[in-house]
Amino acid sequence: HVLLAPYTKVEESFNLHAVHDVLMYGVAPSSLPHYDHFVFSGAVPRTFIGSVLLAWICQPVIYVAHSLAPNHRPTTVRLVLATINALGLCLLRHAVSRRFGCPTGLYYTLLTCSQFHVPFWMGRTLPNIAAISLLVVSAVVFRAEIAALAGALALQSIVLGHTSFWRAFKVCAVSSVASITPAVGVDSHFWAQPYLWPEGQSIYFIVVEGKSAEWGWQPAAHAYLTAHLPKLLLSSLPLALPALLPLPFL
């Protein structure tokens, strides 16, 4: 996917530019005026944490690859990101196999590989892809809507007795504080704004001010039922349909 679709979508442009700027100019305060985000800042600030980490990981790979393909830094960055996410999915597959058995792990692998969404986007510099496993950190730092998934999983664990409410609450609270603190420190530096929490501004922009519609919208039923969900599910869509049936018919 990285090689067949080399062009950049608007959703990934910020992080890809941020990785480029970190690699080309460094992270010193004197380098920040050269950064792209001061010219094309977007609707709300985005975090630099994922981009800085990815740039540092990619640096030795780019150094080696530059002699072979000097004009393919974005492709190299995407390949490194895809490799990291592939390793994360492998760890997740092993966890599924240990918890539910090898056949379930095999089915998980087949479903993941036969779908479009994850294999394609795992090599794209989206905030959603920047962190797969740490849900609280991902929600606080990268994408706030991941909190809905984390909350649902926490509620399931509480209902099934895997953990208590107070234990889940303490984990979420500690993780949130431990995530917000470095996010504010790092992003305040790169955006040259004191006490900046980018995802907090995103929540305010979308939820409180309701301005996300100014950047485009689609009818929910049409967008999800005819476009997003079919592309997201693909081979797993037929398996999901029985879940919509009443229990007596299963």
Side-chain angles (χ1 to χ4, degrees):
H1 290 301
V2 171
L3 300 178
L4 293 176
Y7 301 107
T8 304
K9 287 196 67 178
V10 64
E11 294 91 343
E12 57 175 323
S13 61
F14 169 79
N15 285 292
L16 194 60
H17 276 105
V19 171
H20 168 272
D21 293 341
V22 171
L23 289 171
M24 294 298 296
Y25 306 121
V27 298
S30 58
S31 304
L32 296 183
H34 300 289
Y35 275 44
D36 177 83
H37 68 285
F38 286 115
V39 179
F40 304 100
S41 58
V44 292
R46 286 299 181 190
T47 182
F48 268 84
I49 289 183
S51 301
V52 172
L53 293 176
L54 181 59
W56 288 346
I57 294 172
C58 291
Q59 197 163 23
V61 181
I62 290 177
Y63 179 80
V64 174
H66 182 68
S67 59
L68 303 175
N71 297 321
H72 290 81
R73 285 193 180 94
T75 302
T76 304
V77 169
R78 287 172 173 151
L79 289 173
V80 171
L81 178 61
T83 301
I84 295 172
N85 284 320
L87 293 175
L89 290 175
C90 288
L91 294 175
L92 182 58
R93 185 259 182 189
H94 286 304
V96 170
S97 297
R98 287 196 305 268
R99 178 65 177 84
F100 301 103
C102 290
T104 304
L106 176 61
Y107 296 147
Y108 165 79
T109 303
L110 294 176
L111 284 174
T112 301
C113 293
S114 62
Q115 293 177 23
F116 166 81
H117 194 80
V118 173
F120 180 84
W121 290 106
M122 65 192 297
R124 304 286 162 169
T125 52
L126 294 176
N128 311 56
I129 304 299
I132 286 180
S133 56
L134 300 177
L135 290 180
V136 174
V137 176
S138 302
V140 170
V141 176
F142 297 104
R143 297 293 291 185
E145 56 265 35
I146 299 179
L149 174 60
L153 293 176
L155 180 61
Q156 181 188 45
S157 298
I158 294 171
V159 172
L160 295 178
H162 296 159
T163 187
S164 65
F165 171 80
W166 288 112
R167 179 176 175 81
F169 176 80
K170 286 189 291 185
V171 169
C172 291
V174 172
S175 301
S176 297
V177 173
S179 303
I180 291 176
T181 302
V184 171
V186 170
D187 292 313
S188 296
H189 167 75
F190 281 101
W191 286 93
Q193 298 181 32
Y195 309 110
L196 175 67
W197 177 30
E199 204 55 30
Q201 289 202 5
S202 176
I203 296 171
Y204 185 80
F205 178 83
I206 295 172
V207 178
V208 179
E209 296 183 325
K211 292 184 177 180
S212 59
E214 297 177 3
W215 296 80
W217 66 280
Q218 290 179 306
H222 169 73
Y224 281 97
L225 296 180
T226 64
H228 300 321
L229 287 178
K231 287 193 296 185
L232 174 65
L233 297 174
L234 285 185
S235 59
S236 62
L237 180 59
L239 301 177
L241 293 178
L244 302 177
L245 299 176
L247 288 177
F249 293 95
L250 294 179

